[in-house]
Amino acid sequence: MAKLVILTQGLNGRAHELNVDRTTIGRVDDNMFQIAEASVSSHHCEVHLRGSEVLIRDLNSTNGTFINGEKIAESILKPGQTLRLGNIELKLEAEGAPAASAPAAAPSPAKRQVEATMVIPRGVSMSELESGGRAPSLDISKEFSKKRNKAGIYFWIVVGIVILLIVGLLIYALIIVNNAPHK
């Protein structure tokens, strides 16, 4: 029976037996083989058993699916080869099958650099959620301050003067009415 074994630190030793014709692998729990890691897409790839062959098909994953360092859309995975989903490496193990030979040449440093820059982290880690975000800043110089609106200040000065003039005219009118002779 063939099985995929995780090699990546922290998840190493975790395995999934390929005992059905089609197995889905991804980050969310509706996959048959769930790998809850940010670099693995929610529905990353699927594995098809075709006789003694294991076919891997990428499901338009964000960080790609690789067999022995080569990006694939669909390819046969042989026993002993390394399957990489985002940052997670797995190895196909099959009982009684000879291990696949190693690739002829290791990828060039430039190619490894390109592959390393293709990783797009998604999601939030539990430690980030538990920390509650960034600590509040105590630097007052970085605080926001409201800009002064000079037009608004001039408007209220004019309104104040007009109100004072109206009050003054009312007082003057009351004085004149009170000083006028009564009939």
Side-chain angles (χ1 to χ4, degrees):
M1 182 71 52
K3 67 179 176 178
L4 287 172
V5 179
I6 298 179
L7 304 174
T8 304
Q9 188 69 16
L11 298 172
N12 56 334
R14 219 178 119 209
H16 181 80
E17 286 198 24
L18 303 172
N19 51 12
V20 293
D21 291 341
R22 179 180 172 269
T23 302
T24 57
I25 302 174
R27 189 178 65 247
V28 295
D29 60 1
D30 66 348
N31 290 285
M32 295 176 81
F33 186 18
Q34 181 187 15
I35 303 174
E37 203 276 330
S39 67
V40 176
S41 292
S42 57
H43 297 96
H44 200 100
C45 69
E46 57 188 14
V47 180
H48 294 272
L49 290 180
R50 296 202 175 146
S52 63
E53 290 186 331
V54 177
L55 176 76
I56 307 293
R57 180 179 295 138
D58 184 73
L59 297 175
N60 296 319
S61 61
T62 302
N63 295 319
T65 301
F66 298 82
I67 293 178
N68 282 352
E70 296 294 321
K71 187 170 185 173
I72 59 113
E74 184 175 301
S75 186
I76 301 294
L77 179 66
K78 296 177 182 161
Q81 286 186 320
T82 302
L83 172 67
R84 183 164 51 90
L85 312 175
N87 291 332
I88 302 297
E89 287 192 345
L90 304 103
K91 183 182 240 180
L92 178 62
E93 291 182 357
E95 292 177 14
S101 59
S108 68
K111 183 172 182 180
R112 281 194 300 263
Q113 179 63 30
V114 169
E115 287 176 4
T117 59
M118 289 173 27
V119 175
I120 301 170
R122 298 178 76 173
V124 178
S125 71
M126 286 302 289
S127 62
E128 290 172 330
L129 285 174
E130 291 168 352
S131 70
R134 290 183 277 181
S137 172
L138 298 177
D139 186 4
I140 296 174
S141 66
K142 292 183 180 178
E143 294 294 322
F144 291 104
S145 62
K146 185 176 178 182
K147 288 186 176 182
R148 294 196 177 266
N149 184 353
K150 290 185 180 183
I153 291 172
Y154 294 138
F155 170 78
W156 287 111
I157 290 173
V158 170
V159 167
I161 291 172
V162 169
I163 289 173
L164 284 175
L165 285 174
I166 291 172
V167 170
L169 288 173
L170 286 175
I171 292 173
Y172 178 72
L174 286 175
I175 291 173
I176 289 180
V177 169
N178 284 338
N179 288 338
H182 295 300
K183 291 185 188 182

